[in-house]
Amino acid sequence: MLWPVLLWAASWPLLACDAGTVGVDGDGDGRPDRGAPGVRVSDGRQVAVADAAGRWRLPGPARGPVFVIKAPGHALPLRDDGLPDFWRPAAGEGAGCDFLLLPAPDSPDDALEVLVFADPQAATRKQVGYYLDDIVRPLQDRHRAMLGVTLGDVANDDLSLYPELNRATALLGVPWLHVAGNHDLDFEAARDEDSLRTFRGVYGPDSFAWEEPRATFVGLDDVVYRPGERPAYVGGLREAQFAFLEAYLPTVARDRLLVLMVHIPLFDTDANAETFRRADRERLFALLRDFPHVLVLSGHQHRLRQYFHDADTGWRGAAPLHEFNVGAASGSFWSGAADAAGIPDATMADGTPNGHATLRVFDDGEYALDWHPARLPEGDGARTAAMHLHAPRALRRGAYPAWGVYANVYMGRDDTRVEFRVGGREWQPMRKVAAPDPWLSVENARDDLAESLRGFDRSPEAVPSTHLWRGALPTTLETGEHVVEVRAFDHRHGERRASTSYRLLDATE
């Protein structure tokens, strides 16, 4: 929807933003001390390079918001909304198309840390409050990030909420980038080209690049709007985006990580439909193939999944291409029973709690990803930051061992080693299963059995999880309570544990 409060550019005299300067403010007085030669500027299609004096000119008229590609070792001033000042409208009121770079603040020596949000998806001001209290405020004083990104669906169709969401995000105090999602569209637009007018008026370019010393970030709008069709959008890219990638990627350093940020996953999420156009994916993969260090970050699914592209999806690189499909900040669209603070449970359909991800990038192009649940119950060893467990509370001693302990290991992959033991005995392997998370299935049953509403919206119906493991609980041990320990191994984070217990009871016919 085209919200009038956001269309502040509509009354400006239209002046083309085809040329300008990039300067460096070395002494902090708000004015450039010198030019920034070699820094690139783009409109999402063409790329210009600043000369020795910092002057740049696009080869042709600007076709969209014009942005500077922040160079490593530099920072950017902030706009009035707290977002980085890295873009200008393609046509504006004559404020110029000049960009100012600042010296970069000191950063930790070991790694670049990035906060990764997907799908905050607030539909009301109350849900903006959930985002603020559940996601943002707990991070304010404890994160070490130097950059943040939201992978689309910033709002849930009500785009007038952008300013409030931005005020919340700005409290984190780091430059923040935004990728467009399918719920960020102007649905009354008659064509795809006009479907992000409101988004561009607030966040600028829907395709952009940003460079840090350890990584290059490329954001792409991969939601192709198809008004009047069903479905009304599909995942894919456009000729202008390919033109930008073809012009920009050859200039990108190969010794650091290349991070591609999109909303709709590059893999097909429906076995019976092409949710991302295969021809576009193969064309994109051809441009990425020779980069030794590539990571894809996506959102949209409101689940958490680690996917590895190979020849089946058109990837021809030397090693599989890792796509991290990031879980939602809003979880299951802010649904489920509320806690004591009034915040909905928001567990996602695969059993993953709502929260955020972090990306840590190292000098060698290597990286580490992690998921951080928004809330953890105090004193519950079965629910940790890395996993949660589900097991029956009591079993009959001597019964056939048909009942198991389940571990939902949020960052688990097909090759993750997960083990369990009972009562301090020998560790045994757990088996990866494709099944609904039993904890969420119980929550579904509670909703079914409740005679009144437990929350504004019910928790989602549990679907098979891609990161669930099972181990059969022994029933031949002595009567009484038995502690179950689970450990999962991650090559970057090491060993992580959780524990629960069950009781064996004697019974007679």
Side-chain angles (χ1 to χ4, degrees), residues 177-240:
L177 307 174
H178 291 80
V179 174
N182 55 291
H183 286 280
D184 296 311
L185 299 176
D186 298 314
F187 288 109
E188 60 282 306
R191 55 181 192 157
D192 177 56
E193 294 88 335
D194 300 324
S195 63
L196 286 177
R197 283 186 178 176
T198 302
F199 180 92
R200 294 186 190 112
V202 177
Y203 300 114
D206 50 74
S207 297
F208 59 86
W210 180 284
E211 295 181 354
E212 296 289 345
R214 291 183 172 94
T216 298
F217 298 86
V218 175
L220 296 173
D221 164 34
D222 69 341
V223 183
V224 179
Y225 186 42
R226 307 187 298 187
E229 298 185 36
R230 294 181 65 88
Y233 62 86
V234 67
L237 299 175
R238 306 156 186 83
E239 285 301 321

Side-chain angles (χ1 to χ4, degrees), residues 440-470:
L440 184 56
S441 295
V442 170
E443 193 69 5
N444 292 159
R446 289 193 183 105
D447 284 336
D448 286 345
L449 296 173
E451 295 188 4
S452 60
L453 296 176
R454 300 178 64 232
F456 184 78
D457 281 319
R458 291 170 51 119
S459 292
E461 185 173 323
V463 301
S465 170
T466 60
H467 38 81
L468 190 68
W469 279 259
R470 181 187 185 277

Side-chain angles (χ1 to χ4, degrees), residues 253-308:
R254 303 295 176 98
D255 60 346
R256 56 182 180 239
L257 182 66
L258 174 59
V259 183
L260 186 71
M261 306 178 299
V262 295
H263 180 65
I264 295 179
L266 301 186
F267 58 87
D268 287 329
T269 58
D270 184 337
N272 300 312
E274 188 179 64
T275 58
F276 193 98
R277 297 188 300 210
R278 185 177 182 93
D280 291 353
R281 182 171 61 233
E282 291 182 347
R283 187 174 173 186
L284 172 65
F285 283 176
L287 295 172
L288 301 175
R289 179 176 56 207
D290 295 331
F291 283 85
H293 311 289
V294 185
L295 170 67
V296 178
L297 300 175
S298 59
H300 187 54
Q301 282 288 91
H302 293 254
R303 302 175 197 173
L304 192 152
R305 183 176 184 182
Q306 304 205 55
Y307 191 96
F308 290 85

